Amino acid sequence: FCFWFGPPLTHRAWEKGSGEALWGIKPDALKGRLPRFLPDVPEVRADFADYLGEIQAWDAGVGVLLQELEAIGELEHTLVVISGDHGMPGVPGGKCNLYDFGVGVALLARGPGVPGGRVVDDFVNLMDLAPTFLEAGGVKPPEVMNGRSLLNVLRADKSGQVDPARTWV
């Protein structure tokens, strides 16, 4: 197993206009395609294009890590778990607001025994990662841990709700 904990790729100041300048995301191409609750005006489209550019930068960074794991022959032996951050900052309903767009956090996983191409709707907590990593490494998580291992959810074949007990955190 290989774990990488580095600086977050999305917590840096982003440059106004970087979505278009660095990634070719044209704000006007987003007209009519923003989430319904955001005002579809040029300023918001420009901010959203920059936000999408940050996501492209993050994706490229993850791609480099996966390529390196593949190059050293460890990709198929490594459990890779990536958690996102909650919501776009600075917009109505975004980060720091209790709406889906503001509080939803992506959690992606790939690795041995983890079937791809699924979307799982179980509620999880980042505290669940420590017992997950311990169990994946063959170590029984201590009883005092508040989190619950996600290994059964990660290794399941189904999408949607996998563990009926995971309906809250």
Side-chain angles (χ1 to χ4, degrees), residues 103 105 107 121-128 146-148 150 161 165-169:
V103 298
V105 177
L107 182 70
D121 297 323
D122 295 39
F123 282 91
V124 300
N125 187 306
L126 292 180
M127 290 189 305
D128 296 334
N146 290 322
R148 298 180 293 158
L150 300 171
Q161 185 75 36
R166 289 189 176 272
T167 57
W168 59 278
V169 293

Short mmCIF file of all heavy atoms in Angstrom, two decimals, residues 103 105 107 121-128 146-148 150 161 165-169:
data_model
loop_
_atom_site.label_atom_id
_atom_site.label_comp_id
_atom_site.label_asym_id
_atom_site.label_seq_id
_atom_site.Cartn_x
_atom_site.Cartn_y
_atom_site.Cartn_z
N VAL A 103 -22.43 21.19 0.47
CA VAL A 103 -21.93 20.23 1.45
C VAL A 103 -21.54 18.87 0.86
O VAL A 103 -20.92 18.06 1.54
CB VAL A 103 -22.95 20.00 2.60
CG1 VAL A 103 -23.19 21.28 3.36
CG2 VAL A 103 -24.24 19.42 2.09
N VAL A 105 -19.55 16.04 -0.77
CA VAL A 105 -18.12 15.76 -0.86
C VAL A 105 -17.94 14.47 -1.65
O VAL A 105 -18.51 13.44 -1.31
CB VAL A 105 -17.50 15.59 0.56
CG1 VAL A 105 -16.03 15.22 0.47
CG2 VAL A 105 -17.68 16.86 1.36
N LEU A 107 -16.00 11.17 -2.85
CA LEU A 107 -15.03 10.21 -2.35
C LEU A 107 -14.86 9.18 -3.45
O LEU A 107 -15.82 8.51 -3.83
CB LEU A 107 -15.52 9.55 -1.06
CG LEU A 107 -14.55 8.56 -0.41
CD1 LEU A 107 -13.34 9.30 0.16
CD2 LEU A 107 -15.24 7.78 0.69
N ASP A 121 -24.26 5.42 -2.93
CA ASP A 121 -24.96 6.50 -2.22
C ASP A 121 -24.86 6.40 -0.70
O ASP A 121 -25.47 7.21 -0.01
CB ASP A 121 -26.44 6.50 -2.62
CG ASP A 121 -26.64 6.79 -4.09
OD1 ASP A 121 -25.88 7.61 -4.64
OD2 ASP A 121 -27.56 6.21 -4.69
N ASP A 122 -24.11 5.46 -0.17
CA ASP A 122 -24.00 5.32 1.28
C ASP A 122 -23.37 6.58 1.88
O ASP A 122 -22.46 7.16 1.29
CB ASP A 122 -23.11 4.12 1.63
CG ASP A 122 -23.72 2.81 1.20
OD1 ASP A 122 -24.33 2.76 0.12
OD2 ASP A 122 -23.58 1.83 1.94
N PHE A 123 -23.84 6.96 3.05
CA PHE A 123 -23.23 8.06 3.77
C PHE A 123 -21.97 7.55 4.45
O PHE A 123 -21.99 6.50 5.10
CB PHE A 123 -24.18 8.64 4.82
CG PHE A 123 -25.23 9.53 4.26
CD1 PHE A 123 -26.45 9.03 3.87
CD2 PHE A 123 -24.99 10.89 4.10
CE1 PHE A 123 -27.43 9.85 3.35
CE2 PHE A 123 -25.95 11.72 3.58
CZ PHE A 123 -27.18 11.20 3.20
N VAL A 124 -20.89 8.28 4.30
CA VAL A 124 -19.63 7.93 4.95
C VAL A 124 -19.04 9.18 5.57
O VAL A 124 -19.48 10.29 5.29
CB VAL A 124 -18.63 7.28 3.97
CG1 VAL A 124 -19.23 6.02 3.37
CG2 VAL A 124 -18.21 8.23 2.89
N ASN A 125 -18.05 8.97 6.39
CA ASN A 125 -17.38 10.05 7.09
C ASN A 125 -15.89 9.86 6.89
O ASN A 125 -15.42 8.72 6.81
CB ASN A 125 -17.76 9.95 8.58
CG ASN A 125 -17.28 11.10 9.39
OD1 ASN A 125 -16.11 11.43 9.41
ND2 ASN A 125 -18.21 11.71 10.10
N LEU A 126 -15.13 10.93 6.83
CA LEU A 126 -13.69 10.78 6.64
C LEU A 126 -13.05 9.98 7.78
O LEU A 126 -12.00 9.38 7.58
CB LEU A 126 -13.02 12.14 6.48
CG LEU A 126 -13.37 12.86 5.18
CD1 LEU A 126 -12.65 14.20 5.10
CD2 LEU A 126 -13.05 12.02 3.95
N MET A 127 -13.69 9.93 8.94
CA MET A 127 -13.18 9.08 10.03
C MET A 127 -13.24 7.60 9.65
O MET A 127 -12.59 6.78 10.27
CB MET A 127 -13.97 9.31 11.32
CG MET A 127 -13.71 10.66 11.95
SD MET A 127 -14.44 10.81 13.59
CE MET A 127 -16.14 10.42 13.32
N ASP A 128 -14.03 7.25 8.63
CA ASP A 128 -14.13 5.87 8.17
C ASP A 128 -12.87 5.43 7.41
O ASP A 128 -12.66 4.23 7.20
CB ASP A 128 -15.35 5.68 7.27
CG ASP A 128 -16.67 5.90 8.00
OD1 ASP A 128 -16.71 5.71 9.22
OD2 ASP A 128 -17.66 6.25 7.32
N ASN A 146 -13.99 5.60 16.09
CA ASN A 146 -15.36 6.02 15.82
C ASN A 146 -15.81 5.69 14.41
O ASN A 146 -16.98 5.51 14.15
CB ASN A 146 -15.53 7.52 16.06
CG ASN A 146 -15.43 7.86 17.52
OD1 ASN A 146 -15.91 7.13 18.37
ND2 ASN A 146 -14.79 8.97 17.82
N GLY A 147 -14.88 5.65 13.47
CA GLY A 147 -15.22 5.34 12.09
C GLY A 147 -15.46 3.87 11.88
O GLY A 147 -15.08 3.02 12.70
N ARG A 148 -16.13 3.56 10.76
CA ARG A 148 -16.39 2.17 10.38
C ARG A 148 -15.72 1.90 9.04
O ARG A 148 -15.84 2.71 8.12
CB ARG A 148 -17.90 1.93 10.24
CG ARG A 148 -18.66 2.14 11.54
CD ARG A 148 -20.14 1.89 11.35
NE ARG A 148 -20.72 2.90 10.47
CZ ARG A 148 -21.83 2.75 9.78
NH1 ARG A 148 -22.51 1.64 9.85
NH2 ARG A 148 -22.29 3.73 9.03
N LEU A 150 -14.90 0.99 5.39
CA LEU A 150 -15.68 1.04 4.14
C LEU A 150 -15.37 -0.13 3.22
O LEU A 150 -15.90 -0.19 2.11
CB LEU A 150 -15.37 2.33 3.37
CG LEU A 150 -15.64 3.64 4.07
CD1 LEU A 150 -15.06 4.79 3.26
CD2 LEU A 150 -17.13 3.81 4.22
N GLN A 161 -27.43 2.34 -2.79
CA GLN A 161 -27.23 2.06 -1.36
C GLN A 161 -26.68 0.64 -1.23
O GLN A 161 -27.32 -0.32 -1.63
CB GLN A 161 -28.55 2.19 -0.60
CG GLN A 161 -28.44 2.05 0.89
CD GLN A 161 -27.83 3.27 1.55
OE1 GLN A 161 -28.06 4.39 1.13
NE2 GLN A 161 -27.04 3.04 2.59
N ALA A 165 -27.18 0.20 6.64
CA ALA A 165 -26.95 0.92 7.91
C ALA A 165 -26.30 2.27 7.68
O ALA A 165 -26.21 3.07 8.60
CB ALA A 165 -26.10 0.07 8.84
N ARG A 166 -25.81 2.53 6.47
CA ARG A 166 -25.10 3.79 6.21
C ARG A 166 -26.05 4.85 5.64
O ARG A 166 -25.89 5.30 4.51
CB ARG A 166 -23.93 3.56 5.26
CG ARG A 166 -22.80 2.80 5.92
CD ARG A 166 -21.58 2.78 5.01
NE ARG A 166 -20.47 2.14 5.66
CZ ARG A 166 -19.58 2.77 6.45
NH1 ARG A 166 -19.69 4.05 6.65
NH2 ARG A 166 -18.59 2.10 6.99
N THR A 167 -27.00 5.25 6.44
CA THR A 167 -27.97 6.27 6.00
C THR A 167 -27.76 7.59 6.74
O THR A 167 -28.52 8.53 6.54
CB THR A 167 -29.42 5.79 6.23
OG1 THR A 167 -29.58 5.47 7.61
CG2 THR A 167 -29.72 4.57 5.36
N TRP A 168 -26.75 7.67 7.59
CA TRP A 168 -26.44 8.90 8.30
C TRP A 168 -24.98 8.87 8.75
O TRP A 168 -24.37 7.81 8.78
CB TRP A 168 -27.37 9.06 9.51
CG TRP A 168 -27.28 7.93 10.51
CD1 TRP A 168 -27.92 6.72 10.43
CD2 TRP A 168 -26.46 7.87 11.67
NE1 TRP A 168 -27.56 5.93 11.48
CE2 TRP A 168 -26.67 6.61 12.27
CE3 TRP A 168 -25.58 8.76 12.28
CZ2 TRP A 168 -26.03 6.23 13.44
CZ3 TRP A 168 -24.95 8.37 13.44
CH2 TRP A 168 -25.18 7.12 14.00
N VAL A 169 -24.43 10.03 9.05
CA VAL A 169 -23.09 10.13 9.65
C VAL A 169 -23.19 11.01 10.87
O VAL A 169 -24.08 11.82 11.00
CB VAL A 169 -22.04 10.68 8.68
CG1 VAL A 169 -21.77 9.70 7.56
CG2 VAL A 169 -22.40 12.05 8.15
#
